[in-house]
Amino acid sequence: MKTKTKCRLGICLFILIAACVLIGQSWQRESQRRRLPEAMRQTIEENHRIGKMKQKIKVTGQRAIAVYYPHLNSAEIDANIEAAVNEAIARFEQENQGVEGLCTLYADYESYELNERYGSVQISFERTGAINMKEVRAWTFDLQQDRLIRFSDLFSADGMKHLAFLMRSFLTTLVPETTNPDYEVDENVLIDNKAELFLNEDELRVVLPPQTLPAQSEELIAVIPLNKVIGYVDEDTRNLLGLQARGRIIDPTRPMVAMTYDDGPNRQVTPVILDALQEHDGAATFFVLGSRVANHKDIVARMLTEGSEVGNHTFGHVDLTKQSSQGILDQFSATWDAIGEAGSLEQQELLVRPTYGAYNDMLKKTSPYPLILWSIDTRDWAHQNADKSVDVVMREVQDGDIILMHDMYEPTAQASVRVIEWLSEKGYQLVTVSELFEARGIQLEPGKTYNCAYPHTDRQAASE
């Protein structure tokens, strides 16, 4: 009996000691937390959608560390995350030895659940002191099999090349000096797992940690809308990860053409064309006149909302080859301002269609935007005959064409309905100009002219 009583007392004493230790640790953490700068006490809890939050907090003199990160109860994934956290802390402490003044390391995270099996984590580190720097680490993982998901698990070789092209396009706008060869991005950074992957229902983020590229000192993150790459992910993998297309999916293996319309919008004509595009899951590029936008804002807004592209056809249909450099820029600016009052242009590339298709060295040198011409001219403005416009397209169209029409004439609306239906039945995807060149892996450049994006010809033939 005495032995049992002693055993019970021992167990109770152990539990009491353990409780005291936990309470002491919790009190110590809270005490440390109160000594942090206010901004470092905060986490964005709505971003913590999967896993249990862990924290490493340490305040010593003028050194403050607050790192928040998820624990996913998955050995391989947690080991990767823990290693990245410990590495960041060790580097921070080493580089700030002997540094006077306040030095801080703060990190918070975003975790996302694709479904019960798959998820993603991105941790953002920010440090001040000897070095002021931001750094991001990212992982996408399979919790069931306790493994990381690599780019090669999602994409074929062609898909990797296309993703690398999209990364270059994105980074060129983010960091203009990426045109430097030392910033060259190709599929090898994906194949060799130098880049890291974060995936959610809307976008794919490619994280390039510092020094991934020769000239790179800080992290670079290419944010790619999921719809731009989901066509390269096979259907079984899409279903497994729970990835769903939002809107149109462009299949780069199928033929496609870009329908383009000049001189509008027009209240009687343009909506008929938009209705036909919507019925056949298509989009077009409308090169509008800035002077017409104010009275047709609702139509321009509809173009943008439904996935079509709105381009610049000058404000007053002036011949740009007869303008000064400033005159050219003024025409562009006034038109973009008018379009911007109707809807946001943030999600599309800015393109120009020169009036009359006319250009010269002055225009090419001055234009900050690509100059889009055409490969099929229906001459709808001249004959205003629906049958003739339809006949031209049916006789001449091929994969990669840019078709020119004008959404100002009733026969053009009639022709468009028939052409859009016929092209769809023939298996053509109806895409915007930007989508066409993007699918062909051609980056549009300011001041260059483009008239087609044929898949198996010298790309230089499509631009000048």
Side-chain angles (χ1 to χ4, degrees):
M1 181 68 70
K2 290 183 178 180
T3 302
K4 289 183 178 179
T5 301
K6 288 181 179 179
C7 183
R8 290 194 190 101
L9 287 172
I11 292 171
C12 290
L13 183 61
F14 174 79
I15 293 172
L16 180 62
I17 292 171
C20 288
V21 170
L22 290 173
I23 292 171
Q25 289 176 342
S26 177
W27 179 87
Q28 186 178 24
R29 281 197 302 269
E30 186 55 34
S31 176
Q32 291 273 309
R33 188 183 178 93
R34 284 198 296 268
R35 294 173 60 195
L36 289 169
E38 178 64 30
M40 296 178 67
R41 301 178 204 171
Q42 310 300 320
T43 65
I44 305 175
E45 293 186 6
E46 58 264 32
N47 286 344
H48 305 168
R49 302 185 186 183
I50 181 173
K52 180 180 179 181
M53 187 179 79
K54 294 185 70 174
Q55 56 187 11
K56 293 196 176 186
I57 294 174
K58 180 180 178 182
V59 182
T60 307
Q62 293 283 64
R63 305 289 182 274
I65 297 172
V67 178
Y68 307 95
Y69 61 101
H71 180 76
L72 300 161
N73 201 29
S74 181
E76 175 72 15
I77 315 306
D78 288 332
N80 273 271
I81 293 173
E82 192 85 29
V85 167
N86 291 335
E87 179 186 338
I89 293 174
R91 184 168 56 246
F92 168 78
E93 291 181 331
Q94 181 179 11
E95 69 191 15
N96 286 295
Q97 289 181 2
V99 176
E100 296 183 0
L102 181 63
C103 303
T104 64
L105 172 65
Y106 171 75
D108 197 8
Y109 67 95
E110 178 180 354
S111 60
Y112 186 86
E113 185 177 37
L114 290 163
N115 55 35
E116 292 182 356
R117 176 173 174 178
Y118 296 97
S120 293
V121 167
Q122 176 179 301
I123 304 181
S124 300
F125 298 90
E126 184 172 358
R127 62 189 199 265
T128 67
I131 298 175
N132 298 328
M133 187 174 180
K134 295 181 180 180
E135 185 176 352
V136 171
R137 299 294 305 275
W139 303 266
T140 294
F141 42 80
D142 179 342
L143 291 172
Q144 183 175 305
Q145 295 189 0
D146 190 22
R147 70 183 185 92
L148 294 176
I149 300 297
R150 308 293 189 183
F151 291 96
S152 56
D153 295 322
L154 300 178
F155 299 105
S156 64
D158 285 342
M160 299 272 240
K161 288 180 180 178
H162 187 65
L163 180 56
F165 163 75
L166 294 174
M167 288 167 57
R168 289 193 297 273
S169 298
F170 184 90
L171 294 177
T172 297
T173 60
L174 186 69
V175 186
E177 59 266 30
T178 52
T179 52
N180 182 321
D182 287 338
Y183 274 102
E184 186 62 31
V185 181
D186 60 27
E187 62 271 26
N188 288 325
V189 300
L190 309 175
I191 295 170
D192 298 339
N193 298 316
K194 295 177 182 177
E196 297 174 343
L197 169 66
F198 180 95
L199 189 63
N200 65 27
E201 64 180 358
D202 297 315
E203 64 190 25
L204 180 151
R205 302 176 198 164
V206 183
V207 177
L208 304 178
Q211 309 308 319
T212 302
L213 308 175
Q216 180 192 350
S217 59
E218 295 192 2
E219 97 282 344
L220 293 173
I221 305 174
V223 181
I224 312 297
L226 189 59
N227 264 25
K228 291 193 175 186
V229 292
I230 199 170
Y232 286 95
V233 181
D234 71 73
E235 189 172 356
D236 289 343
T237 303
R238 273 188 240 163
N239 293 337
L240 200 60
L241 270 69
L243 302 179
Q244 296 182 351
R246 297 181 181 276
R248 295 178 303 120
I249 295 180
I250 297 171
D251 184 344
T253 66
R254 289 176 49 210
M256 60 189 75
V257 295
M259 303 282 293
T260 67
Y261 294 88
D262 290 5
D263 296 353
N266 178 286
R267 195 158 295 280
Q268 283 69 48
V269 177
T270 312
V272 175
I273 297 168
L274 289 170
D275 288 345
L277 290 167
Q278 190 174 41
E279 181 180 351
H280 294 279
D281 196 27
T285 300
F286 293 86
F287 290 100
V288 301
L289 293 176
S291 59
R292 295 188 60 81
V293 171
N295 292 328
H296 299 84
K297 288 182 180 179
D298 56 326
I299 297 177
V300 173
R302 180 184 172 186
M303 293 172 185
L304 293 167
T305 299
E306 295 181 359
S308 283
E309 189 168 52
V310 180
N312 192 317
H313 198 44
T314 76
F315 192 83
H317 207 277
V318 301
D319 186 341
L320 292 173
T321 64
K322 298 178 180 178
Q323 305 298 309
S324 66
S325 178
Q326 188 58 51
I328 291 169
L329 295 175
D330 288 346
Q331 285 287 323
F332 292 162
S333 178
T335 304
W336 291 132
D337 287 347
I339 296 169
E341 291 181 6
S344 173
L345 291 167
E346 289 183 2
Q347 301 302 315
Q348 68 157 67
E349 190 154 2
L350 301 184
L351 306 176
V352 165
R353 162 78 45 84
T355 49
Y356 314 106
Y359 59 92
N360 57 13
D361 288 343
M362 168 69 82
L363 175 57
K364 293 172 69 174
K365 181 179 178 181
T366 302
S367 176
Y369 315 107
L371 305 172
I372 307 302
L373 303 177
W374 55 84
S375 51
I376 294 180
D377 184 355
T378 62
R379 293 188 59 79
D380 57 332
W381 63 273
H383 54 67
Q384 297 190 36
N385 182 300
D387 290 338
K388 289 184 177 180
S389 293
V390 172
D391 182 62
V392 169
V393 175
M394 287 184 171
R395 281 189 291 104
E396 299 183 15
V397 72
Q398 60 180 304
D399 184 12
D401 271 325
I402 298 175
I403 301 170
L404 171 62
M405 302 181 86
H406 299 75
D407 54 331
M408 290 295 292
Y409 312 105
E410 184 64 32
T412 296
Q414 299 167 7
S416 293
V417 171
R418 292 163 57 187
V419 165
I420 289 168
E421 181 178 9
W422 182 82
L423 287 169
S424 297
E425 289 175 351
K426 293 296 182 181
Y428 285 96
Q429 299 171 97
L430 302 168
V431 299
T432 67
V433 168
S434 292
E435 290 168 342
L436 175 64
F437 284 95
E438 191 172 87
R440 299 292 184 240
I442 301 172
Q443 187 167 344
L444 298 172
E445 299 179 33
K448 282 194 173 182
T449 60
Y450 299 85
N451 53 31
C452 64
Y454 297 141
H456 302 300
T457 59
D458 183 353
R459 289 178 181 175
Q460 292 302 315
S463 66
E464 183 179 321

